[in-house]
Amino acid sequence: MTSTYNITAYCSSVRQTLLETIFLLFLFILPLVVCPLWGQTGQKRKLSAENYNKWGRLLFERVSPDELWVSYKMLYDSSSDSLFVRGIENSKIYSFAGVKKSAFTAGGFVCLMGGNLHLVNLAQDKSEIMHSVKQFEHLKSLDYLLVLKSEGEKKQTLIIRTLEGRIIDSITNVISFSVSPDENKLIYTGASSDKMVLMLMDLKKNCKKKTVYESVSSFTNLTWSKNSKAFVFNSRPKGELKCSLHYCLSDLIKLYTIASDSLHFGKEAFITDQQLRNLSIADDGSRVFFNYKYVDHENTPSSLDAEIWNGNDKRVYLEKKVHGDFKTSAKAAVWNPFSNKVFTLTTSELPKLFLSTDQKHALLYNPEAYEPQWEIDSPIDLFLIDTHSGEKKKLLRNSLPIWGQRWFRLQENMSPISKARTGGSIILRQIHIPILLRI
């Protein structure tokens, strides 16, 4: 009995000693280790709403051709954005505020800010500033810079140069310019005595120039085809609303023209150049999509006039103010310059349009077809039109729109077309219509 008692007492004593040791460790030793760390860190400041505007959003832009430099932006809500160019190996940083456009060249960086074009030679750490710059483009294939510079008295000069400063060509009295997608050709408009002139330049053939068109009218909306084989533009007499539309083959310098008087859409329709995304050429180069309007004889009230709320309107006044009036807004049409066939795509009855990827077909609809009604999404009638022949067919009647979470199931082949309803969503099979153009 005595031996058993001694062993039990010994185990109890050891357990007590361990508990006391652990208690002392947490009570005295650990605070001595942690306290120096607490003393080395400052007190955190309280974050207030006044500090929110100091935050920014980091946005990556691009990497230089030699992969030695990278550009990124810091976007701020309350101040101008900042653009940074940083070396990957040497960590050198260049910063610019309020940049409108930027590009890497072979060994350099160019950006336009506040009318000043900053040219930085990253390899040699040298910089240059060109003042009064309206526009610039960088040609990757030739490593040329195209700079449209104001010279005062409403005159502008187009300068073609390298980053190092070597002048390739300089053209005075230039108004606007546009580079082909393959960067081989350049079209520009200029003033010559009492006329306007449109010129075509071959950048791969010593900047050889050809005259495309001369007129007293101004030229707008210079637009190239995707394959760089053709371009289109508008011409409009000074003080007029009606335009003409021109299509030119860049290799043959063959010009096709259609005037507003040739539309025959009724109600004094005319070609307009005063809309965004005004001109577009089909990928096969056979059709031109353009905007047209009707002469407004009703003198639609402006925003300064009294508000008019009609009880039978499709939309209330504020919605019409935001979305516009389909009767007076610009509409889309298509023109085949080779056959001179032209017809409307969108109308006041079907004012909205989606083009297919090959631009051979378009979907038309009217978001106000069944307004006013109580649903969030108003039903629509959906039509398919052939942009070659103008043939139009109704696909869906009184169906829910499929924007947002409702969607088209899109496939490559345009025909045949079948439709089905599953779970309240409309599925159009064998149609491939990503949103490339919406008017």
Side-chain angles (χ1 to χ4, degrees), residues 81-85 94-99 109 111 113 118-120:
D81 303 331
S82 297
L83 184 142
F84 299 90
V85 178
Y94 297 89
S95 63
F96 309 91
V99 174
F109 180 78
C111 65
M113 46 185 287
H118 294 251
L119 304 95
V120 182

Side-chain angles (χ1 to χ4, degrees), residues 179-375:
V179 182
S180 62
D182 62 7
E183 299 184 346
N184 290 334
K185 293 181 174 62
L186 165 74
I187 51 176
Y188 63 91
T189 63
S192 175
S193 63
D194 58 342
K195 291 184 178 181
M196 305 298 294
V197 60
L198 179 67
M199 302 292 295
L200 174 66
M201 175 187 292
D202 195 327
L203 296 168
K204 291 295 182 67
K205 296 182 179 179
N206 299 320
C207 298
K208 185 178 179 180
K209 306 178 186 67
K210 293 182 180 179
T211 301
V212 178
Y213 191 61
E214 287 184 326
S215 174
V216 294
S217 303
S218 59
F219 304 131
T220 58
N221 297 320
L222 307 178
T223 306
W224 284 92
S225 64
K226 189 176 180 180
N227 58 12
S228 302
K229 293 183 178 180
F231 58 89
V232 292
F233 61 96
N234 291 123
S235 64
R236 177 164 52 90
K238 186 177 181 181
E240 297 287 336
L241 291 177
K242 297 182 178 180
C243 296
S244 294
L245 178 60
H246 309 272
Y247 175 95
C248 183
L249 297 173
S250 58
D251 292 335
L252 303 177
I253 309 297
K254 190 171 183 179
L255 191 67
Y256 301 85
T257 300
I258 182 171
S260 291
D261 297 337
S262 303
L263 293 184
H264 303 301
F265 294 165
K267 296 192 299 183
E268 299 184 66
F270 64 93
I271 301 171
T272 179
D273 63 349
Q274 299 177 347
Q275 303 294 322
L276 294 175
R277 294 177 294 183
N278 190 65
L279 296 178
S280 176
I281 303 177
D283 290 348
D284 60 7
S286 65
R287 284 148 295 134
V288 180
F289 302 94
F290 64 95
N291 284 338
Y292 73 95
K293 297 184 73 173
Y294 291 110
V295 176
D296 186 9
H297 292 294
E298 298 180 1
N299 296 321
T300 303
S302 67
S303 59
L304 299 178
D305 296 323
E307 297 183 5
I308 300 177
W309 293 64
N310 293 319
N312 58 349
D313 281 346
K314 293 285 188 178
R315 296 180 185 267
V316 298
Y317 175 82
L318 294 180
E319 287 183 309
K320 292 176 66 175
K321 186 176 181 180
V322 172
H323 298 287
D325 189 348
F326 293 149
K327 294 182 179 180
T328 58
S329 61
K331 300 164 183 63
V334 61
W335 170 51
N336 186 321
F338 306 107
S339 64
N340 204 34
K341 183 176 182 178
V342 58
F343 55 88
T344 63
L345 293 176
T346 59
T347 61
S348 298
E349 292 73 27
L350 295 171
K352 295 295 181 179
L353 164 107
F354 289 99
L355 279 177
S356 63
T357 44
D358 57 8
Q359 298 91 39
K360 294 180 179 179
H361 296 81
L363 290 176
L364 307 175
Y365 68 99
N366 187 346
E368 297 181 350
Y370 294 92
E371 295 285 2
Q373 45 82 48
W374 296 103
E375 300 295 331

Side-chain angles (χ1 to χ4, degrees), residues 6-236:
N6 291 338
I7 292 174
T8 302
Y10 175 77
C11 291
S12 177
S13 176
V14 171
R15 184 166 57 250
Q16 182 67 25
T17 303
L18 289 174
L19 290 174
E20 291 176 355
T21 303
I22 294 173
F23 176 78
L24 292 173
L25 177 65
F26 279 95
L27 185 62
F28 296 104
I29 298 177
L30 284 180
L32 292 176
V33 175
V34 177
C35 279
L37 296 178
W38 288 346
Q40 292 175 10
T41 58
Q43 294 293 327
K44 293 183 178 179
R45 293 184 301 170
K46 184 179 179 180
L47 183 63
S48 62
E50 289 75 15
N51 296 321
Y52 292 170
N53 59 2
K54 299 179 181 179
W55 293 354
R57 181 164 60 94
L58 181 65
L59 179 64
F60 170 77
E61 278 213 328
R62 56 181 62 89
V63 178
S64 64
D66 57 11
E67 300 182 354
L68 296 178
W69 298 83
V70 63
S71 65
Y72 57 93
K73 273 186 176 182
M74 285 296 296
L75 307 180
Y76 303 100
D77 293 333
S78 59
S79 60
S80 60
D81 303 331
S82 297
L83 184 142
F84 299 90
V85 178
R86 179 167 183 163
I88 297 176
E89 294 183 350
N90 56 19
S91 297
K92 185 176 180 61
I93 298 178
Y94 297 89
S95 63
F96 309 91
V99 174
K100 296 181 179 179
K101 183 180 180 179
S102 63
F104 277 108
T105 68
F109 180 78
V110 185
C111 65
L112 180 62
M113 46 185 287
N116 297 324
L117 185 65
H118 294 251
L119 304 95
V120 182
N121 190 320
L122 300 173
Q124 302 178 8
D125 194 18
K126 295 181 179 179
S127 61
E128 177 188 354
I129 299 178
M130 296 181 66
H131 302 284
S132 303
V133 174
K134 301 293 184 181
Q135 179 186 356
F136 88 93
E137 294 289 342
H138 174 243
L139 307 183
K140 295 181 180 179
S141 58
L142 299 171
D143 200 29
Y144 285 170
L145 289 173
L146 278 64
V147 182
L148 186 61
K149 189 175 184 296
S150 177
E151 302 291 353
E153 297 182 1
K154 299 182 180 181
K155 292 183 179 181
Q156 298 180 141
T157 300
L158 178 61
I159 302 173
I160 305 175
R161 53 164 289 175
T162 63
L163 178 69
E164 294 75 19
R166 182 170 66 91
I167 303 298
I168 308 300
D169 201 349
S170 180
I171 310 167
T172 59
N173 298 324
V174 173
I175 298 173
S176 61
F177 71 91
S178 178
V179 182
S180 62
D182 62 7
E183 299 184 346
N184 290 334
K185 293 181 174 62
L186 165 74
I187 51 176
Y188 63 91
T189 63
S192 175
S193 63
D194 58 342
K195 291 184 178 181
M196 305 298 294
V197 60
L198 179 67
M199 302 292 295
L200 174 66
M201 175 187 292
D202 195 327
L203 296 168
K204 291 295 182 67
K205 296 182 179 179
N206 299 320
C207 298
K208 185 178 179 180
K209 306 178 186 67
K210 293 182 180 179
T211 301
V212 178
Y213 191 61
E214 287 184 326
S215 174
V216 294
S217 303
S218 59
F219 304 131
T220 58
N221 297 320
L222 307 178
T223 306
W224 284 92
S225 64
K226 189 176 180 180
N227 58 12
S228 302
K229 293 183 178 180
F231 58 89
V232 292
F233 61 96
N234 291 123
S235 64
R236 177 164 52 90

